[in-house]
Amino acid sequence: MIALSLAEIAEVVGGQTHDIPDPSVQVTGPVVRDSREVVPGSLFVAFVGERADGHDYARAVVEAGAAAVLASRPVGVPAIVVEDVQAALGALARHVVRSLGATLVALTGSAGKTSTKDLIAQVLRRKAPTVYTPGSLNNEIGLPLTALSATAETRFLVLEMGARGIGHIRYLAGLTPPRIGLVLNVGTAHIGEFGGREQIAQAKGELVEALPEDGAAILNADDPLVRAMASRTKAKVVLFGESAEADVRAENVRLTDSGQPAFRLHTPSGASDVTMRLYGEHHVSNALAAAAVAHELGMSAAEIATALSEAGSLSRWRMEVTERPDGVTIVNDAYNANPESVRAALRALAAMGKGRRTWAVLGKMAELGDEALAEHDAVGRLAVRLNVSKLVAVGGLRPPGCNWAHITRVRGVRSRCTCPTHRRRSTCCAASCARGTSCS
């Protein structure tokens, strides 16, 4: 964070200083919420959680070198006390961002946010110092903490924005106003909470509404709901995708024998070939989104293509590939799951496993509401069409009376369950069991 005195921070967040002998002491280290991350000069933010109260760690963090605690009550050590810790954190982030000379890039979408954010960061940091969201810290706490990690040297600040309802992205964009806003796609992740894809599009489009007239909206030309967001902004619109109408597009898309995507990248400034280190064709769209951002910030097609070809995964559990000595290839894509990401992972598995046996181990996709049964059924059918050798399903949809035990075979999604109608254990179709209908 840029250095600020405790007195300045108290004024910014509207707080009162308690037990601070010298208000001119500066916060020179990071702003953290985890006591284990405290270093000399830090500001520790004391949140009250379900399992722990950050205020209980106040003395320990100060002894570890924290300059003070941002708290909702006096804690007996140097503290800035506010009514709402989360609101104060956001206010501090807003102040720091306005003090920076950095260009803010914000992105959202139903799937691929973190992978795309990692690609953007790896491309832009070749041009200038770049700070980006670690992992998926994309909510009202994680986003301001990321913004506060920027320093005076930072030139690009890349922020992932997530949403679980209308107004969430508008709030985040108010804390960290972007000049470039990227919308990847509108899918079915969290559809149970939003109520439908149109509502998801409404929420995601809040990002382009927040852009200034001299900003740029980077939109997916291949997603009709995203492309329609062009009417919701006064900023310049840049389209990316495989569509011929896209400003930044891919041609001759293919997969290498190891399942890594390759394509010809076209931008308004030229074209260049890309062969990615990541796995799965779905990364082509992510790469094009990153390329569109980089082009808008002045990078050439050749520079972008080189950066994309050398970029790896910066976040854990996203298509991590491990080659075992016995010849087994393990692909770990276990961070999160929604219908779009699972379909992409299955297609990547099929591409990587040509001529080999393939196993897919899948968990439950949550927050799909009334679409849950149909989406899980569709994923199982896709596994069959892709000739996945074995499918192991962990967990499942469990309406009253259904007690799935384990999957005994796939190539037809079959499981052992307690039939809610017959009240006996039987081999039954998972879809029928989930609907509560009879099994045979």
Side-chain angles (χ1 to χ4, degrees):
M1 189 178 85
I2 59 174
L4 292 173
S5 70
L6 295 178
E8 290 173 316
I9 293 174
E11 182 178 358
V12 168
V13 302
Q16 300 294 321
T17 58
H18 284 260
D19 302 304
I20 296 179
D22 183 5
S24 67
V25 168
Q26 289 194 325
V27 172
T28 57
V31 179
V32 300
R33 62 173 299 188
D34 187 332
S35 61
R36 296 167 295 186
E37 298 175 356
V38 167
V39 298
S42 295
L43 178 66
F44 177 71
V45 185
F47 282 98
V48 179
E50 294 181 0
R51 300 181 178 179
D53 184 344
H55 296 79
D56 296 339
Y57 298 87
R59 187 166 299 279
V61 298
V62 171
E63 290 175 352
V69 178
L70 183 61
S72 58
R73 62 177 185 266
V75 286
V77 295
I80 298 170
V81 178
V82 295
E83 290 186 6
D84 187 328
V85 171
Q86 180 180 305
L89 178 66
L92 182 59
R94 185 185 302 112
H95 174 80
V96 168
V97 164
R98 288 174 177 171
S99 303
L100 294 173
T103 297
L104 269 67
V105 178
L107 69 152
T108 192
S110 295
K113 293 187 296 296
T114 299
S115 296
T116 304
K117 173 262 304 176
D118 288 350
L119 287 174
I120 294 172
Q122 291 176 84
V123 174
L124 293 185
R125 69 186 182 188
R126 288 173 171 258
K127 182 177 177 66
T130 301
V131 169
Y132 59 94
T133 303
S136 295
L137 297 179
N138 60 18
N139 63 11
E140 62 276 6
I141 296 175
L143 181 136
L145 287 175
T146 300
L148 289 168
S149 68
T151 67
E153 290 72 36
T154 301
R155 289 296 169 263
F156 298 119
L157 182 56
V158 183
L159 298 172
E160 179 180 329
M161 293 185 177
R164 292 180 179 271
I166 303 296
H168 290 187
I169 290 178
R170 184 182 302 113
Y171 171 78
L172 297 176
L175 299 183
T176 54
R179 189 176 78 78
I180 295 180
L182 162 64
V183 184
L184 294 170
N185 44 55
V186 174
T188 53
H190 310 305
I191 196 169
E193 295 186 359
F194 281 95
R197 294 184 73 236
E198 290 73 18
Q199 289 85 347
I200 295 174
Q202 181 63 34
K204 301 298 184 184
E206 291 171 359
L207 177 56
V208 300
E209 292 175 348
L211 297 172
E213 289 190 26
D214 63 347
I218 313 295
L219 302 178
N220 188 346
D222 301 329
D223 187 320
L225 289 175
V226 174
R227 188 165 180 169
M229 294 177 190
S231 64
R232 296 169 61 179
T233 183
K234 295 181 180 180
K236 172 184 178 182
V237 174
V238 178
L239 298 177
F240 71 91
E242 295 185 45
S243 168
E245 299 177 3
D247 302 290
V248 177
R249 66 186 188 278
E251 292 183 355
N252 192 26
V253 176
R254 59 204 182 278
L255 291 177
T256 67
D257 291 341
S258 58
Q260 295 161 305
F263 59 94
R264 180 76 170 170
L265 170 67
H266 288 265
T267 76
S269 63
S272 194
D273 291 323
V274 175
T275 300
M276 302 185 72
R277 291 171 53 197
L278 303 177
Y279 294 84
E281 189 173 339
H282 59 290
H283 280 301
V284 173
S285 181
N286 298 340
L288 292 175
V293 171
H295 170 76
E296 185 61 25
L297 292 174
M299 295 183 69
S300 70
E303 290 174 315
I304 297 168
T306 298
L308 289 174
S309 296
E310 296 178 0
S313 177
L314 302 181
S315 302
R316 296 182 63 195
W317 305 334
R318 291 163 175 85
M319 296 301 290
E320 289 182 350
V321 177
T322 303
E323 299 287 351
R324 293 196 338 188
D326 60 0
V328 174
T329 301
I330 299 175
V331 182
N332 184 351
D333 194 42
Y335 180 81
N336 203 350
N338 58 62
E340 289 77 24
S341 66
V342 174
R343 285 194 284 269
L346 287 174
R347 291 189 178 101
L349 173 67
M352 296 169 67
K354 288 179 179 177
R356 305 166 67 184
R357 288 191 304 161
T358 54
W359 286 62
V361 182
L362 304 180
K364 176 183 175 181
M365 298 180 291
E367 300 174 349
L368 295 179
D370 293 340
E371 301 296 320
L373 182 60
E375 292 290 0
H376 284 84
D377 181 70
V379 163
R381 293 176 185 277
L382 178 61
V384 173
R385 292 200 302 273
L386 292 173
N387 288 319
V388 173
S389 306
K390 297 287 184 180
L391 172 62
V392 178
V394 180
L397 306 176
R398 300 189 179 203
C402 181
N403 180 25
W404 295 7
H406 59 273
I407 298 294
T408 55
R409 60 181 283 254
V410 166
R411 304 307 299 275
V413 279
R414 303 188 72 82
S415 67
R416 296 292 298 179
C417 70
T418 300
C419 173
T421 302
H422 295 163
R423 302 297 177 187
R424 60 180 172 81
R425 295 188 63 76
S426 61
T427 300
C428 61
C429 171
S432 295
C433 188
R435 292 190 182 99
T437 56
S438 298
C439 306
S440 59

